[in-house]
Amino acid sequence: MVLSALIPDELIMDILSRLPVQSLVKFLCVNKSWRSLITDDPAFKALNFHLHSSDTNSNYLITIPNEFSSETRLCTVIFRNNNNNGEVSNFVAKEIEIPFRTPTHFYRVLCSCNGVVCMSGCGIYTNIIDSLYLWNPSVRNFKMIGSCTPPGDTNIMITRHGIGVDHRDHDVFLLIIRIIFYYDVYEGTYNGEKKPYTEVYSLNTNSWSRIHESVVVPCLASDQPTAFVNGAIHWKALSFSSRRCVIMYFNTSERVFGEIRLPVNAFDSIVGNQWRPTVFKGLLAVIVISRVFPASRKKICDIWIMNEYGVVKSWTKRFAIPITLEDTLFVRPLGITKNDQLLLDLDGKLLWYDLDCQQGWILGFHGVQAVNIIGSREFGEIRLPVNCFDHMVRLHWRVTVFKGLLALIVISRIHPASRKICDIWIMKEYGVVESWTKRFAIPIPLEDTLFDRPLGITKNDQLLQDLDGMLLWYDLDGEQGGILGFYGVQGSFDVDTLTDSLYLLGPTRE
């Protein structure tokens, strides 16, 4: 008799639900009953996701280039690794291939929920999106979804999407909401005579259904990723009635829209547009970038929590996190993971901040070793080497690690009219500014590059640079390198936070 036949089904479900997603995918070929449980039982999927959603190793960051110039479609996954004592020790990165190919070679992240990414093959300035791709990187499968654009002039249409759990389908199936706004030329607004066209795609029924025209869409939604909480999808939006920034929501059970006002005086008038809705410990939250005081160059990241959903007076500022890089021009909130990790994009550098232990790291989109920038739960700062910057290209620098030491990669010039050079500075004694030493001065072989972005140094001492979308590899020990070819369009990446899940969208890739 087979051993599994002697074990009660309830016990098998309890045991398997405690295993990580990657292990469960391997079990699909072990036993037919196990395969049916893992792939077809909605209750099992929900239980597994609930048990693992806050695990450090189940939450990860994915960065996806918007365009590829070669046949290889690799994106980077970054997650925090635990040591033998169960404590977080470092960051680990690996490359995975996007399993589908778009006709346009564009890859754009629209939104995500429960480990599933909703993507399109259209460029960032495309108004109408007809084809969507659902992709679960954890189980390496995907599903292509087609849709029909309503008749009319597509030049006056813009499309917005959101993804969430369908509460009409026992909270286990996903749905996508698609909104088409029409621009009224005479009124100069998207809230003209022709009302938005809305429809919902259900993963359960594999079909689109139109939302009745009587359902009012009260806001113009942003094209930024959405947040799903309290049974609703939430967008950063502009209210048609008040002309103010609000959060628009779509309730997946009642199939209705609404708006939620933001905290009073939460915005800085200069950087007021740098905010986004997110989720923190199961509550609706907002990440807002502002300044310490009006005349200051120092920015701060405020996190507001709505303690009672829908009650504006319950907004509470929970965190005020200083951004230590003063020269940062572009700060983009990326969200909060399910295990309470805040993610910010600082001029292309990734700030990863643990909201529980109040520690943060600067690391790159390509998995460069992280640098802990927090000590004793307080922020600190380290001054850079004197005269290390070229005033023409001073923004092209980044923090990294070389042979266990804090290091700095700086793009500069030998003299103002000359070609560029890559300097690598090493801090021999941590925290001692006088110990900065220029260790390398590497000429950049391409004279006419416009965009030079340092990507970092690998643990085996390989320098990586982005030169107008071409990858420069340079061995610092052997002092030799070369151009590896195009890997993506310069500086054009989508970043999203995901959690391992068992949403199977198609055949699993072994």
Side-chain angles (χ1 to χ4, degrees):
M1 180 178 291
V2 181
L3 180 61
S4 60
L6 302 176
I7 305 176
D9 293 341
E10 295 80 6
L11 182 58
I12 292 178
M13 183 173 180
D14 182 67
I15 294 173
L16 293 181
S17 66
R18 300 177 187 276
L19 296 177
V21 169
Q22 287 79 4
S23 298
L24 292 175
V25 171
K26 296 177 182 178
F27 290 164
L28 293 178
C29 300
V30 173
N31 183 289
K32 288 185 178 180
S33 62
W34 289 9
R35 181 183 182 89
S36 177
L37 176 68
I38 295 170
T39 60
D40 301 330
D41 191 326
F44 177 82
K45 294 179 184 180
L47 178 61
N48 179 266
F49 185 80
H50 172 74
L51 292 174
H52 294 278
S53 61
S54 61
D55 291 349
T56 297
N57 289 337
S58 295
N59 287 269
Y60 58 95
L61 181 82
I62 189 167
T63 66
I64 302 175
N66 293 140
E67 185 178 3
F68 296 91
S69 300
S70 64
E71 293 298 317
T72 304
R73 304 176 304 283
L74 296 178
C75 56
T76 303
V77 169
I78 304 172
F79 57 94
R80 296 179 67 176
N81 195 25
N82 288 339
N83 57 24
N84 294 331
N85 298 323
E87 300 173 344
V88 175
S89 59
N90 63 345
F91 293 88
V92 178
K94 65 179 181 179
E95 289 185 327
I96 61 174
E97 185 174 3
I98 299 175
F100 56 88
R101 190 188 311 276
T102 65
T104 61
H105 302 292
F106 283 101
Y107 296 80
R108 181 183 171 196
V109 174
L110 301 175
C111 46
S112 67
C113 180
N114 288 5
V116 176
V117 187
C118 179
M119 301 176 63
S120 81
C122 300
I124 191 170
Y125 299 111
T126 303
N127 289 343
I128 291 297
I129 299 173
D130 286 327
S131 296
L132 301 176
Y133 299 85
L134 291 179
W135 177 34
N136 186 340
S138 301
V139 294
R140 299 186 181 183
N141 64 5
F142 71 95
K143 182 180 185 66
M144 181 178 175
I145 303 171
S147 60
C148 297
T149 301
D153 183 3
T154 58
N155 292 320
I156 64 171
M157 302 179 188
I158 58 172
T159 311
R160 298 293 184 259
H161 296 84
I163 187 172
V165 177
D166 191 347
H167 279 205
R168 289 187 176 182
D169 277 328
H170 311 292
D171 298 351
V172 294
F173 293 102
L174 295 179
L175 66 75
I176 300 171
I177 174 74
R178 181 184 188 224
I179 312 170
I180 298 178
F181 293 93
Y182 299 91
Y183 185 75
D184 191 316
V185 179
Y186 299 102
E187 297 290 337
T189 177
Y190 281 100
N191 187 31
E193 181 178 349
K194 194 166 187 178
K195 300 307 178 184
Y197 176 96
T198 55
E199 59 182 351
V200 167
Y201 170 83
S202 170
L203 189 61
N204 184 23
T205 61
N206 190 29
S207 62
W208 290 93
S209 59
R210 176 81 186 274
I211 296 180
H212 197 272
E213 294 180 353
S214 62
V215 176
V216 177
V217 181
C219 312
L220 177 62
S222 167
D223 63 348
Q224 296 185 12
T226 54
F228 182 79
V229 63
N230 206 62
I233 302 168
H234 299 80
W235 290 265
K236 174 181 178 179
L238 181 68
S239 174
F240 287 137
S241 59
S242 67
R243 303 300 298 170
R244 293 182 179 179
C245 290
V246 296
I247 297 173
M248 184 176 79
Y249 67 84
F250 175 74
N251 187 296
T252 63
S253 176
E254 300 176 3
R255 299 291 203 266
V256 294
F257 293 89
E259 62 179 74
I260 297 174
R261 283 184 290 149
L262 296 168
V264 179
N265 299 325
F267 292 117
D268 185 315
S269 60
I270 301 299
V271 292
N273 196 41
Q274 296 174 4
W275 67 278
R276 70 171 290 171
T278 186
V279 180
F280 177 70
K281 295 186 181 296
L283 299 174
L284 180 63
V286 177
I287 306 172
V288 181
I289 306 300
S290 58
R291 290 172 297 174
V292 179
F293 52 88
S296 173
R297 295 175 59 192
K298 292 184 178 179
K299 295 186 175 110
I300 195 166
C301 176
D302 297 328
I303 299 179
W304 294 76
I305 310 298
M306 179 169 263
N307 292 309
E308 186 176 351
Y309 185 80
V311 179
V312 177
K313 292 183 179 180
S314 71
W315 280 116
T316 305
K317 186 190 289 187
R318 181 71 176 272
F319 299 96
I321 305 165
I323 297 174
T324 57
L325 304 179
E326 289 190 27
D327 289 332
T328 302
L329 298 178
F330 178 81
V331 182
R332 178 172 56 137
L334 299 175
I336 300 174
T337 67
K338 289 186 180 293
N339 59 340
D340 305 332
Q341 312 292 312
L342 168 69
L343 297 166
L344 299 176
D345 176 3
L346 310 178
D347 284 340
K349 296 179 287 290
L350 182 67
L351 170 65
W352 188 307
Y353 186 86
D354 191 314
L355 295 172
D356 291 328
C357 67
Q358 298 182 26
Q359 286 187 316
W361 293 262
I362 294 289
L363 67 159
F365 288 149
H366 292 264
V368 179
Q369 170 69 37
V371 180
N372 191 337
I373 60 173
I374 311 295
S376 303
R377 298 196 175 189
E378 295 181 357
F379 277 98
E381 62 181 50
I382 296 175
R383 282 184 293 148
L384 300 173
V386 179
N387 299 326
C388 68
F389 288 124
D390 181 325
H391 73 282
M392 296 295 293
V393 291
R394 62 174 301 179
L395 289 179
H396 297 164
W397 66 279
R398 71 165 296 154
V399 177
T400 185
V401 174
F402 177 70
K403 295 187 182 297
L405 299 175
L406 182 64
L408 191 70
I409 306 173
V410 181
I411 306 298
S412 61
R413 277 189 265 256
I414 301 174
H415 54 81
S418 72
R419 65 196 299 179
K420 294 173 187 171
I421 196 166
C422 177
D423 297 327
I424 299 179
W425 295 74
I426 310 297
M427 178 171 265
K428 294 185 175 181
E429 187 176 349
Y430 186 80
V432 179
V433 178
E434 292 76 13
S435 70
W436 280 115
T437 304
K438 186 190 291 188
R439 180 70 178 272
F440 298 95
I442 305 165
I444 295 177
L446 302 179
E447 294 188 25
D448 56 352
T449 56
L450 299 177
F451 181 87
D452 304 286
R453 178 166 60 132
L455 299 177
I457 300 173
T458 65
K459 289 187 176 181
N460 59 339
D461 305 332
Q462 312 290 314
L463 170 68
L464 297 174
Q465 285 183 238
D466 174 4
L467 308 179
D468 285 344
M470 291 175 289
L471 185 64
L472 169 67
W473 160 85
Y474 188 89
D475 190 318
L476 295 175
D477 294 327
E479 298 188 3
Q480 60 179 354
I483 300 294
L484 296 184
F486 288 93
Y487 69 97
V489 175
Q490 56 194 44
S492 182
F493 290 85
D494 281 328
V495 184
D496 206 349
T497 59
L498 298 177
T499 303
D500 286 340
S501 74
L502 280 170
Y503 281 99
L504 297 174
L505 310 169
T508 303
R509 297 184 63 183
E510 302 297 341

